[in-house]
Amino acid sequence: MIKPSLAKGTRDFGPLEMKKRKFIFSTIENIFKLHGFECIETPAMENITTLTGKYGEEGDKLLFKILDSGDYWGNAEKSLLPNDIIDSHKLTPLIASKGLKYDLTVPFARFVSMHRNSITFPFKRYQMQPVWRADRPQKGRYREFWQCDADCIGSKDMSNEAELIVIFDSVFRALGIQSHQIHLNNRKILEGISTLLFPHVSFITFTTILDKYDKIGWEGISKEFGENGIGELELKGLSKFLVQEPLTEDLLNDWKAHLQSNPLAFMGLQEIEEVFNLIKTTKSCTQVVFDGTLARGLSYYTGCIFEVKIKESGLGSVAAGGRYDNLTEIFGLKDVSGVGISFGADRIFDYLENQNLYPKNIVESTKVLVCALDPESMPFAFELGMELRNNKIETVLYPGITKLKKQLDFANANQYKLVVLMGENERKENLYTLKNMETGTQTKANLQELIQSIQLS
Amino acid sequence: MIKPSLAKGTRDFGPLEMKKRKFIFSTIENIFKLHGFECIETPAMENITTLTGKYGEEGDKLLFKILDSGDYWGNAEKSLLPNDIIDSHKLTPLIASKGLKYDLTVPFARFVSMHRNSITFPFKRYQMQPVWRADRPQKGRYREFWQCDADCIGSKDMSNEAELIVIFDSVFRALGIQSHQIHLNNRKILEGISTLLFPHVSFITFTTILDKYDKIGWEGISKEFGENGIGELELKGLSKFLVQEPLTEDLLNDWKAHLQSNPLAFMGLQEIEEVFNLIKTTKSCTQVVFDGTLARGLSYYTGCIFEVKIKESGLGSVAAGGRYDNLTEIFGLKDVSGVGISFGADRIFDYLENQNLYPKNIVESTKVLVCALDPESMPFAFELGMELRNNKIETVLYPGITKLKKQLDFANANQYKLVVLMGENERKENLYTLKNMETGTQTKANLQELIQSIQLS
């Protein structure tokens, strides 16, 4: 006997959890579709060359790699010299040529590059699939989790960014959340500031340190910048940019004055202003925070960047995204800029679960249970099940003949509100007994009356 | 630059393919739900101990194994003796402790065993997820493909089998297919016959050979039985059982006479008769073929077995299933019988594609394109997009200002039927121009009229 267990960091989803998850996924999907995004799917398995080198050194370590089939060791040995000292690092590329996808963005870039001739640009797609990371599992972090992405590729227009902000806001409102904040920054502003203030530190180092602001605060990042040779005076120059304030006309004007002499940073600010001008009359705008501390770890972002947090949730970001100008270039497709966002379905699930925010109707059962009370009644009960389903009523036929009490216990355990009984009397009278499990009342009805009663209840 | 490519045996699904796939999945799902099955999901990754030994020796070879993270080689070396000769077979269990699921049934058995205390039996669940097999890719066979399963576990009643046959039939009819045949046999009949005729051949050998009847015919299986020591006379005894005939009362009576002296086989036949008595008045019954040659490769089946084929499709089975009495026992849960079916979504997809059977409305676009004709119009176009979406109209805002011709070409390429134009004139008049791309007509309308026109079109 094998003691049944789950692989570390993975989860089963039972019926109730699936109803809640489907509520989240369909809410997001409906809003994506309303904005004209088209669904695509890419495989779970990708050639490892598609994945490695796209997520930084840390990311490469977190890729799940799939062992080659057949005599992989025999094949690997041919590539090893007799005196080679084998280690995991050297062996992996010889025995694992495929991996599980780490996010949806890189496979999407691969998709766009491969199918470029059949795609009409600008191309708006959404994708809702699991991804895998060999992270240490902890609260809110899983090794298999779902991302829900929407990207528009082949357009540099800021109306895309504006629309994605509206989508962030629409989704969280539709999920019954009001305390979401959409943090917005622009990598051009960061790069402009970084180049001006810290010319001797690479931009990647700058964003990597800044990205930790959330976790380690000003003191923490000051220390790390210090270790990279940044003096106190320069740090003071940075501090005034690290604001988190509602995005308003006034704020934009202030920043324009600050950044006038820095062309790259100014361009980033202008992009944000363009976005602001499109959303300023919408209610979505009130949820937007200009966040100078927002850096985003991933190196491929080149313009506006987003992160959505829920106030006082204790969770990290529940959605994020940004513009990337060169993502498809690694797959041979140049000059195609894109912008996209991603919802972390699992963190949203955990939050709604903790706050008990699911609408009541999604977890309630509307099913009807049909019970045969003796063997002769079973064919009639079976036929009734078929009739009810023909009338679009979700119907469970209790499989088999057992004591009525046991069948009613089954109905209660599954929270079925209506039960139809079919026994000798019912057969003789050519009627059915409908039992309401909440009130306990029983009524007799012919087929038409029965269907009507069920549909009205 | 990396030449973008897919891992062997895997596929991308573009927008049109996804619409077709969603049609198949939702058709199957709706029918599962109508019959009261509840959705669950299990992870893609399972501990390898959950998977190995469940699918026979061949199956074990086809499992995709996931390389352990970190210094797996260092860990493996500790288990190897200095003079051990390493080979793939010996190494795999030391470096790969997880695998990708091979089907949905074994993970479901693991699920039921793990969650037995929170499940009310009989438990009807459905599951629609990808599975992975390291098979040689060929026409209609993929390494990553989708199964759609429905099982009822914890009930021995034959109404389950009857209902699953109705589900097979309902699904294929709902997909617009009429030429499906539901092949039915019972492993007890096979075991009874096998024990009687070939007492010196194991039942597994018997079913393994019989299972090939479809591919290699009578001559082929005769040869293989011969190689297992079966003489011509015994083979002749078998041949009369290998019929494929519509399931009728007469056929059942004939067989009852044949099998009277064989208690196990007779019991199998009685199970089929019980099923027949429940479905005989339904139209589903006309699609059922009693198939004495049907064996099903998987060793866990113990009662009725099913396979659905589409006549003259050249495909193998498009759906299959059967009853298993002891599947959860390997995970420590005894005496829980179940019966289930599985639809092969990818073969069904290929068939509908080849026969062009998709309903026209699922591939047609109902989206509206909103075009801004000058930069000043963009905020108005953006706002209009929001208004239309508030009225549940799927709306694409063309991102950016470009020549009208280019925007209309974009609408045509995406088969959008309606385009709304927003330019200087429209702004001045506070009206919108609605262009019908099929007729070429243009009309002016205010917001309310516009929404109405779109909703009526």
Side-chain angles (χ1 to χ4, degrees):
Chain A
M1 188 208 111
I2 306 149
K3 192 171 182 303
S5 67
L6 284 159
K8 208 165 63 170
T10 69
R11 293 158 294 164
D12 284 328
F13 301 112
L16 184 59
E17 285 157 321
M18 280 310 297
K19 280 179 190 158
K20 293 172 176 177
R21 291 179 70 82
K22 282 179 183 239
F23 165 69
I24 296 172
F25 286 114
S26 66
T27 300
I28 297 174
E29 183 170 27
N30 287 338
I31 290 170
F32 285 169
K33 283 165 77 175
L34 216 42
H35 285 260
F37 290 84
E38 301 266 8
C39 187
I40 72 157
E41 285 187 3
T42 64
M45 284 194 295
E46 291 276 356
N47 288 324
I48 198 77
T49 48
T50 298
L51 304 173
T52 40
K54 312 302 183 301
Y55 307 105
E57 213 175 302
E58 266 313 296
D60 278 355
K61 282 186 200 153
L62 300 183
L63 290 172
F64 278 112
K65 288 146 196 121
I66 295 165
L67 200 57
D68 290 339
S69 310
D71 185 19
Y72 62 87
W73 179 256
N75 294 332
E77 270 190 319
K78 289 175 202 152
S79 309
L80 292 166
L81 297 173
N83 295 323
D84 265 357
I85 294 169
I86 302 172
D87 65 30
S88 300
H89 195 71
K90 196 180 288 170
L91 193 56
T92 303
L94 302 176
I95 64 174
S97 54
K98 293 179 291 295
L100 293 177
K101 67 179 169 222
Y102 179 92
D103 72 358
L104 303 178
T105 309
V106 168
F108 174 54
R110 197 260 313 135
F111 177 98
V112 169
S113 306
M114 265 181 81
H115 303 284
R116 64 185 82 172
N117 294 324
S118 57
I119 291 173
T120 313
F121 294 97
F123 178 48
K124 295 172 88 172
R125 84 84 175 81
Y126 73 89
Q127 205 171 335
M128 308 174 73
Q129 295 191 276
V131 300
W132 292 266
R133 294 182 190 177
D135 245 323
R136 184 183 299 272
Q138 58 187 66
K139 191 170 172 291
R141 194 190 286 165
Y142 307 100
R143 293 185 146 194
E144 173 171 325
F145 58 98
W146 270 252
Q147 292 191 333
C148 304
D149 280 27
D151 288 74
C152 178
I153 196 159
S155 161
K156 293 184 173 174
D157 199 69
M158 287 302 125
S159 64
N160 293 298
E161 275 82 346
E163 221 178 279
L164 293 173
I165 288 174
V166 169
I167 290 176
F168 276 140
D169 183 48
S170 307
V171 165
F172 287 104
R173 281 179 201 266
L175 292 173
I177 296 171
Q178 269 111 38
S179 54
H180 55 286
Q181 285 196 319
I182 304 161
H183 295 248
L184 173 65
N185 199 1
N186 191 298
R187 298 270 286 201
K188 293 189 180 80
I189 299 181
L190 291 174
E191 196 171 349
I193 294 174
S194 162
T195 313
L196 184 76
L197 295 180
F198 310 152
H200 304 303
V201 171
S202 77
F203 182 49
I204 288 190
T205 306
F206 176 81
T207 53
T208 306
I209 297 173
L210 186 58
D211 195 42
K212 299 180 192 167
Y213 182 87
D214 236 26
K215 281 180 194 150
I216 61 177
W218 172 250
E219 219 163 298
I221 66 164
S222 297
K223 192 165 159 267
E224 292 206 16
F225 277 123
E227 287 160 8
N228 280 273
I230 306 291
E232 273 195 33
L233 197 70
E234 294 154 302
L235 270 176
K236 216 181 154 197
L238 175 65
S239 70
K240 70 169 181 234
F241 292 110
L242 302 190
V243 300
Q244 295 180 309
E245 278 174 31
L247 182 66
T248 61
E249 195 116 36
D250 287 351
L251 177 125
L252 285 166
N253 289 334
D254 272 7
W255 276 68
K256 273 201 236 170
H258 289 321
L259 298 177
Q260 199 116 42
S261 59
N262 191 325
L264 187 62
F266 196 78
M267 193 190 295
L269 192 65
Q270 278 180 312
E271 290 181 1
I272 289 185
E273 190 177 24
E274 267 189 73
V275 173
F276 176 76
N277 284 333
L278 289 173
I279 60 168
K280 64 186 174 191
T281 59
T282 69
K283 61 182 175 185
S284 305
C285 197
T286 61
Q287 314 290 125
V288 179
V289 172
F290 178 82
D291 184 350
T293 74
L294 178 64
R296 302 287 301 139
L298 292 167
S299 57
Y300 51 67
Y301 292 121
T302 50
C304 283
I305 47 179
F306 320 102
E307 221 166 85
V308 184
K309 290 175 185 172
I310 299 173
K311 272 188 274 184
E312 288 159 26
S313 68
L315 291 168
S317 64
V318 287
R323 177 170 289 277
Y324 42 85
D325 282 338
N326 310 307
L327 193 61
T328 58
E329 202 173 309
I330 37 173
F331 298 110
L333 182 63
K334 283 186 186 173
D335 299 322
V336 180
S337 181
V339 57
I341 58 175
S342 183
F343 290 85
D346 300 273
R347 282 194 182 168
I348 295 171
F349 174 82
D350 290 350
Y351 179 75
L352 295 180
E353 188 78 10
N354 290 335
Q355 301 288 313
N356 200 14
L357 281 179
Y358 293 101
K360 207 175 156 219
N361 67 314
I362 66 152
V363 294
E364 270 182 352
S365 174
T366 53
K367 281 186 287 207
V368 171
L369 181 71
V370 174
C371 301
L373 303 180
D374 54 69
E376 293 72 33
S377 298
M378 184 47 103
F380 296 91
F382 189 85
E383 211 183 324
L384 175 64
M386 305 255 307
E387 282 292 347
L388 295 182
R389 291 182 202 110
N390 284 341
N391 286 278
K392 297 196 198 313
I393 297 165
E394 291 182 10
T395 307
V396 176
L397 172 67
Y398 189 91
I401 311 302
T402 175
K403 280 182 190 144
L404 178 59
K405 183 177 177 309
K406 199 176 163 193
Q407 299 200 37
L408 295 181
D409 285 350
F410 177 81
N412 280 324
N414 286 290
Q415 295 174 293
Y416 300 157
K417 286 186 199 145
L418 296 174
V419 176
V420 183
L421 307 178
M422 185 74 220
E424 203 188 337
N425 290 337
E426 283 80 5
R427 268 187 287 130
K428 276 188 191 149
E429 297 168 17
N430 206 13
L431 291 174
Y432 306 91
T433 300
L434 179 64
K435 188 178 175 73
N436 184 316
M437 297 297 287
E438 288 180 321
T439 62
T441 54
Q442 289 195 184
T443 48
K444 291 216 170 176
N446 66 26
L447 182 63
Q448 271 327 102
E449 292 162 352
L450 182 72
I451 290 169
Q452 256 183 12
S453 301
I454 294 171
Q455 282 170 339
L456 290 174
S457 73
Chain B
M1 188 208 110
I2 306 149
K3 192 172 182 300
S5 67
L6 283 159
K8 207 165 64 169
T10 69
R11 294 158 292 163
D12 284 328
F13 301 113
L16 184 60
E17 286 158 321
M18 280 310 297
K19 281 180 190 158
K20 293 172 176 176
R21 291 178 72 81
K22 282 180 181 237
F23 166 69
I24 295 172
F25 286 113
S26 66
T27 300
I28 297 173
E29 183 170 27
N30 287 338
I31 290 170
F32 285 169
K33 282 165 78 176
L34 216 43
H35 284 260
F37 290 84
E38 301 267 8
C39 187
I40 72 157
E41 284 187 4
T42 64
M45 284 195 295
E46 292 275 356
N47 288 324
I48 199 77
T49 48
T50 299
L51 304 174
T52 40
K54 312 302 183 302
Y55 308 105
E57 213 175 303
E58 266 313 296
D60 278 354
K61 283 188 200 151
L62 300 183
L63 290 173
F64 277 112
K65 288 149 195 118
I66 295 165
L67 199 57
D68 290 340
S69 310
D71 185 19
Y72 61 88
W73 179 255
N75 294 332
E77 269 190 320
K78 289 174 202 153
S79 310
L80 291 167
L81 298 172
N83 294 322
D84 265 358
I85 295 168
I86 302 172
D87 64 30
S88 299
H89 195 71
K90 196 180 290 170
L91 193 57
T92 304
L94 302 175
I95 63 174
S97 54
K98 294 178 291 297
L100 294 177
K101 68 179 170 221
Y102 180 92
D103 71 358
L104 303 178
T105 309
V106 168
F108 173 55
R110 198 255 318 131
F111 177 98
V112 169
S113 307
M114 265 181 81
H115 303 282
R116 64 185 83 169
N117 294 324
S118 58
I119 291 172
T120 312
F121 295 97
F123 178 49
K124 296 172 88 172
R125 84 85 175 79
Y126 74 88
Q127 204 171 336
M128 308 174 74
Q129 294 191 277
V131 300
W132 292 266
R133 295 182 190 177
D135 246 322
R136 185 182 300 272
Q138 57 187 66
K139 191 170 171 292
R141 194 189 286 167
Y142 307 99
R143 293 184 144 194
E144 174 172 325
F145 58 99
W146 271 252
Q147 292 191 335
C148 304
D149 281 26
D151 288 73
C152 178
I153 196 158
S155 160
K156 291 183 173 174
D157 199 69
M158 286 303 124
S159 64
N160 292 298
E161 274 81 347
E163 221 178 278
L164 293 172
I165 287 174
V166 170
I167 290 176
F168 276 141
D169 184 48
S170 307
V171 165
F172 287 104
R173 282 179 201 266
L175 292 172
I177 295 171
Q178 269 111 37
S179 54
H180 54 285
Q181 285 195 320
I182 303 161
H183 295 249
L184 173 65
N185 200 0
N186 191 297
R187 298 270 286 202
K188 295 189 179 80
I189 299 180
L190 292 174
E191 197 172 346
I193 294 174
S194 163
T195 313
L196 183 76
L197 295 180
F198 311 152
H200 304 302
V201 171
S202 77
F203 182 48
I204 288 191
T205 307
F206 176 80
T207 52
T208 307
I209 296 172
L210 186 58
D211 195 42
K212 300 181 193 165
Y213 182 88
D214 236 25
K215 282 181 194 149
I216 61 177
W218 172 249
E219 218 163 298
I221 65 164
S222 299
K223 192 163 159 269
E224 292 205 16
F225 278 123
E227 288 159 9
N228 280 273
I230 306 291
E232 273 195 34
L233 197 69
E234 296 153 298
L235 271 176
K236 216 180 153 199
L238 175 65
S239 70
K240 70 168 182 240
F241 292 108
L242 303 190
V243 300
Q244 295 180 307
E245 279 176 29
L247 182 66
T248 61
E249 196 114 35
D250 287 350
L251 177 125
L252 285 167
N253 290 334
D254 273 6
W255 276 68
K256 272 200 235 172
H258 290 320
L259 298 177
Q260 200 116 43
S261 59
N262 191 324
L264 186 62
F266 196 78
M267 193 191 295
L269 193 65
Q270 277 179 314
E271 290 181 0
I272 289 185
E273 191 177 24
E274 267 190 73
V275 174
F276 175 75
N277 284 333
L278 289 173
I279 60 169
K280 65 186 174 193
T281 60
T282 69
K283 62 183 174 184
S284 304
C285 196
T286 59
Q287 314 290 126
V288 180
V289 173
F290 179 83
D291 184 350
T293 74
L294 178 63
R296 301 287 300 139
L298 291 167
S299 57
Y300 51 67
Y301 291 121
T302 51
C304 283
I305 46 178
F306 321 103
E307 219 166 86
V308 184
K309 291 177 185 173
I310 299 173
K311 271 188 275 186
E312 286 160 29
S313 68
L315 291 169
S317 64
V318 287
R323 177 170 288 277
Y324 42 86
D325 282 339
N326 311 307
L327 193 61
T328 57
E329 203 173 309
I330 36 172
F331 298 111
L333 182 63
K334 283 186 185 173
D335 299 322
V336 180
S337 181
V339 56
I341 58 175
S342 183
F343 289 86
D346 300 273
R347 280 194 184 167
I348 295 171
F349 175 82
D350 289 350
Y351 178 74
L352 295 180
E353 188 78 11
N354 289 336
Q355 302 287 313
N356 200 14
L357 282 179
Y358 293 101
K360 208 175 155 219
N361 67 313
I362 65 151
V363 294
E364 270 182 354
S365 174
T366 53
K367 281 186 287 207
V368 170
L369 181 71
V370 174
C371 301
L373 302 180
D374 55 70
E376 292 73 32
S377 298
M378 184 47 102
F380 297 91
F382 190 85
E383 211 183 323
L384 175 64
M386 305 254 307
E387 283 291 348
L388 295 181
R389 292 182 201 113
N390 284 341
N391 286 278
K392 298 195 196 315
I393 297 164
E394 291 182 11
T395 307
V396 177
L397 172 67
Y398 189 92
I401 311 303
T402 174
K403 279 182 192 145
L404 178 60
K405 184 177 177 308
K406 199 175 164 195
Q407 300 200 37
L408 296 181
D409 285 349
F410 177 81
N412 280 326
N414 286 291
Q415 295 173 292
Y416 299 156
K417 286 186 199 144
L418 296 174
V419 175
V420 183
L421 307 178
M422 186 74 221
E424 201 187 340
N425 290 337
E426 284 80 5
R427 270 186 288 132
K428 275 187 194 152
E429 297 168 16
N430 205 12
L431 292 173
Y432 305 92
T433 299
L434 178 65
K435 187 177 175 77
N436 183 316
M437 297 298 287
E438 289 181 321
T439 62
T441 54
Q442 289 195 183
T443 47
K444 290 217 171 175
N446 66 26
L447 182 62
Q448 273 326 102
E449 293 162 353
L450 182 71
I451 291 169
Q452 257 183 13
S453 301
I454 294 171
Q455 283 171 339
L456 291 174
S457 72

